[in-house]
Amino acid sequence: MELNSVQQEIVKTTEGPVMVLAGAGSGKTRVLTNRIGHILQNGLARPDEILAITFTNKAATEIKNRLFDMGLPAGAIWAMTFHSMCCRILRAEANYLTGYNSNFSIYDEQDKKNTIKHILSENNLKEDFLADVAQGLSKLKISNLSMDEYKNICCYTPHDKQVFEIMQKYEERLQKNNAMDFDDLINKTLFLLKENEVVRTKYQLKFRYILVDEFQDTNETQYNLVRILAGYHKNIFVVGDEDQSIYSWRGASIDNIKKFLKDFSSAKLFKLEQNYRSTKHIIDYANKIIKNNTNRIDKTLWTENGEGATVSYNKSYSDRDEAEYVVSTIKGLVNDKGYEYSDIAILMRLNALSRNFEEKLLAYGVPYKVFGGQKFYERAEIKNVMAYLKLMINPNDEESFLRIINFPKRGIGDGTIAKLRALSGTSLFDAVLNGDLLQDKALQKVEPFKGLMQDLIKKRDELELYDFVCYVVDKAGIKNAYSGETEEDYNRKLNISELLQNVKQYADENSGKTLVDFLQTVSLTTDIDSYEKDGNYVSLATVHSVKGLEFKVVFIVGLEERYFPIVRCDESSEAEMEEERRLMYVAITRARERLYLTCSRSRYMYGRQQFSTVSRFLKELGYEVSQNRENQSAEKYTEKTYEHTHKPVFTSSINSFMHTNEKAKKEFDFVPGDRVFHTKFGIGYIVTFDSATNTAKINFDNFGNKTLSLDFAPVKKI
């Protein structure tokens, strides 16, 4: 696709600071890529003198692939995320870091929590402190405060001081473990650039051109990083959209746009307003919702695409009806309209709303994948394998050591670990490798682990990456640890097999890369990086987790107060409400051809039925309560369950519905011998059924007898 006139001007404006405000679907990646291509084609810089910062590894890979397709030498370009860039700088300049070497581990959120828990346990403190310590650390690092600055600002009560002491111990423990958390990668790089003239000058001179994607999502520390790096050449290009700023909860500041224009007063400002993604109807809805925000630079999306299908709206009686409507509509789109499942996404504000949709998708036989839930590399079985690998690179990584010392089970408990600590003043791993384990009966249990570690260290230097990881999984007995016949064990074994496939793919695509490279890549992987368009499944996701993606068909569900916008916004500041509205804007603009908006009169959440009020966003889009159309699901309900089933139009407020018999008893027609399907336990048959309590004893083919309450259990007759 040819560039439009504004895009062409942006591409050719290479010198000096430039800011581009790019509306959703306006081709910003194409512009960014062509700008780099223009720089290379005109010999303005070598590939390794270009820094292109993205917010996902996926986006960085896409930029490089597009440049390769243009026949340009993109391999040496620094196209990467902030964390990847900082990690690369820190490993290269590790000799300037006090207390660290280049093989430092990167701790994710779970590693961070585990470290805090260990410190709390060692200090005889309850885990009640965990949340306060984690929150304090986030505040400390997002604000880029020193420990002394934080203490002066935040420590007033005895509890605050105790929390602060744990925070200090956490920072000391990370250094002892030769480990950094995600925030450290950014903060320590900024500190290095500020305080070390040699390092600062090296990278300022190196990067002739700096390009930052998704600039609206940068936090203060990230902005200061690129500001310093651009301090010499001043060829800094930032592209973003304040209407898509949705990460304030992790420190992102929409004010960075204003800061940039102030710090780089000579900056040229461009707007990209032509949308290439969506139909006119969808774009109209996007404009209509975002114009309710006041803290934004005025711009209006427009498109030359066709009108497209009108936006559909459905209000259901219950959350189960809503799920029925969505999934039955999806089946119709696939069977009658020629769509693939991979064309479709179900988006929600909160992941907690996904259960009903998952049940209905399973019942209809619709393949799906959940995004925004537990990430692959955060699963326990995967973290166990990764802990073995991390220890091979960083022997000081105590968190990894503690994770695997008794996995698989070796009869090693806290007492044995305490004795190991007494053997060495360096690390627990050193104590195992170099300590005299035979002198104590308890320590003799560690001997097999010592032998295993010595063997793995030897093989680490002999085997290629993929072969080595396979060897670790086999030799450590990891798969055998999940040899049970339960569904959980089966899924864990499948996940380990998937991990091995991931390693093989990485090794095949990255010749010469080492275990250190692989671990770094994994540590910095985001949920969106695992999204593959080739898989034919419906994407079930939070809005946050699909930013940067697009789908032919989008369902935005749960459009009620408390759920979208979320409940805290009832008493929120205008700034918080505007961010919720930006999130709605992002959700709408994921759709290319068809958009469906759904809500429910009532929703079963947190153990009870709750009645809902329509989202203010629907009202802003022009849907008044008196105009709402009631769509009933294909499920049959009795008059006893829904007193207003016969009413075709909802003509007043929700008050009439509030008198529905909330405690009406569900009716089931199960009899012994009926074949049934459960979303977790699979297929089985009814052994006994008690209609008074709606409980059934079910014999499942793979899990034996289970006694379940049918009022809550996802059981369907087949």
Side-chain angles (χ1 to χ4, degrees), residues 69-130:
D69 291 342
M70 294 164 64
L72 295 170
I77 292 174
W78 282 48
M80 57 191 66
T81 65
F82 269 106
H83 289 100
S84 296
M85 175 194 72
C86 290
C87 194
R88 185 167 176 177
I89 291 174
L90 291 174
R91 292 201 192 280
E93 313 302 335
N95 57 306
Y96 293 109
L97 296 172
T98 304
Y100 287 91
N101 63 53
S102 61
N103 289 333
F104 57 81
S105 298
I106 302 171
Y107 281 5
D108 62 19
E109 283 302 305
Q110 191 56 57
D111 296 326
K112 177 180 176 180
K113 288 179 181 178
N114 288 342
T115 303
I116 297 171
K117 286 180 181 179
H118 288 140
I119 295 170
L120 291 173
S121 176
E122 292 164 12
N123 289 270
N124 298 314
L125 294 172
K126 296 180 179 179
E127 286 192 9
D128 296 350
F129 281 86
L130 176 61

Side-chain angles (χ1 to χ4, degrees), residues 349-575:
R349 176 64 176 88
L350 298 170
N351 197 56
L353 270 60
S354 69
R355 181 178 62 87
N356 281 317
F357 297 99
E358 290 193 66
E359 290 176 6
K360 288 296 180 185
L361 290 163
L362 282 166
Y364 274 82
V366 175
Y368 71 94
K369 185 172 181 178
V370 178
F371 292 85
Q374 187 182 30
K375 298 178 178 61
F376 179 77
Y377 286 101
E378 291 178 356
R379 300 180 186 277
E381 62 275 15
I382 303 302
K383 288 187 74 69
N384 289 337
V385 177
M386 299 305 292
Y388 273 97
L389 302 180
K390 285 181 179 180
L391 209 55
M392 293 296 100
I393 301 301
N394 177 17
N396 292 329
D397 188 348
E398 188 168 292
E399 283 308 309
S400 293
F401 179 91
L402 293 173
R403 189 171 190 98
I404 66 170
I405 181 66
N406 199 41
F407 176 82
K409 296 288 186 183
R410 301 185 177 91
I412 299 172
D414 292 343
T416 305
I417 292 181
K419 290 184 177 183
L420 281 173
R421 287 192 190 279
L423 286 182
S424 173
T426 53
S427 70
L428 289 171
F429 193 58
D430 179 69
V432 168
L433 292 182
N434 300 312
D436 185 0
L437 304 181
L438 299 177
Q439 64 179 350
D440 187 287
K441 188 174 181 180
L443 291 177
Q444 291 176 16
K445 298 178 182 177
V446 186
E447 260 308 320
F449 179 72
K450 177 180 181 179
L452 171 65
M453 291 295 101
Q454 289 172 330
D455 181 53
L456 295 183
I457 290 171
K458 181 182 177 185
K459 294 295 183 183
R460 177 195 63 191
D461 300 323
E462 296 177 357
L463 299 174
E464 296 294 326
L465 174 59
Y466 173 68
D467 294 330
F468 176 66
V469 178
C470 290
Y471 188 85
V472 170
V473 169
D474 178 61
K475 197 72 175 177
I478 294 172
K479 274 196 174 181
N480 291 336
Y482 304 115
S483 59
E485 300 299 318
T486 66
E487 183 182 20
E488 184 180 19
D489 281 331
Y490 177 73
N491 288 333
R492 292 185 187 280
K493 283 187 286 190
L494 281 180
N495 287 336
I496 292 171
S497 295
E498 184 176 345
L499 171 64
L500 295 177
Q501 286 302 311
N502 290 352
V503 177
K504 188 172 190 323
Q505 183 178 351
Y506 178 85
D508 291 344
E509 295 176 355
N510 299 276
S511 179
K513 294 290 186 179
T514 64
L515 180 58
V516 174
D517 298 318
F518 173 71
L519 291 175
Q520 179 171 311
T521 299
V522 168
S523 296
L524 302 174
T525 294
T526 64
D527 199 27
I528 195 173
D529 294 323
S530 65
Y531 179 81
E532 294 292 344
K533 288 187 177 180
D534 331 341
N536 193 22
Y537 51 77
V538 171
S539 296
L540 186 61
T542 62
V543 183
H544 281 105
S545 65
V546 295
K547 187 163 180 289
L549 301 179
E550 59 183 63
F551 305 87
K552 288 183 179 180
V553 182
V554 167
F555 292 81
I556 306 175
V557 302
L559 284 168
E560 305 126 37
E561 297 291 300
R562 299 184 295 176
Y563 303 118
F564 203 170
I566 56 177
V567 65
R568 70 170 184 262
C569 288
D570 290 336
E571 296 86 29
S572 71
S573 67
E574 185 59 29

Side-chain angles (χ1 to χ4, degrees), residues 314 319 322-323 326 346-350 353 357 555-566 584 596-600 603 612-615 617-618:
N314 177 76
D319 49 351
E322 180 188 36
V326 170
I346 304 171
L347 305 185
M348 60 202 69
R349 176 64 176 88
L350 298 170
L353 270 60
F357 297 99
F555 292 81
I556 306 175
V557 302
L559 284 168
E560 305 126 37
E561 297 291 300
R562 299 184 295 176
Y563 303 118
F564 203 170
I566 56 177
M584 180 67 178
Y596 295 81
L597 309 174
T598 77
C599 62
S600 171
R603 193 168 296 280
S612 305
T613 302
V614 67
S615 170
F617 298 153
L618 286 171

Side-chain angles (χ1 to χ4, degrees), residues 193-258:
L193 292 173
K194 280 183 173 180
E195 302 299 323
N196 192 301
E197 186 178 355
V198 173
V199 175
R200 181 173 64 252
T201 302
K202 173 182 175 179
Y203 289 96
Q204 283 183 336
L205 293 174
K206 176 179 177 59
F207 298 125
R208 290 182 175 275
Y209 294 92
I210 298 173
L211 305 93
V212 184
D213 194 12
E214 305 288 1
F215 183 69
Q216 77 282 346
D217 293 330
T218 55
N219 60 35
E220 185 178 359
T221 305
Q222 291 166 336
Y223 172 65
N224 286 331
L225 261 177
V226 294
R227 181 179 56 79
I228 291 173
L229 288 172
Y232 183 78
H233 295 291
K234 297 189 175 7
N235 295 326
I236 181 168
F237 172 89
V238 300
V239 57
D241 181 10
E242 77 281 9
D243 290 335
Q244 297 186 72
S245 179
I246 59 174
Y247 295 111
S248 66
W249 48 273
R250 66 185 191 194
S253 175
I254 195 171
D255 291 336
N256 282 347
I257 290 174
K258 297 175 184 176

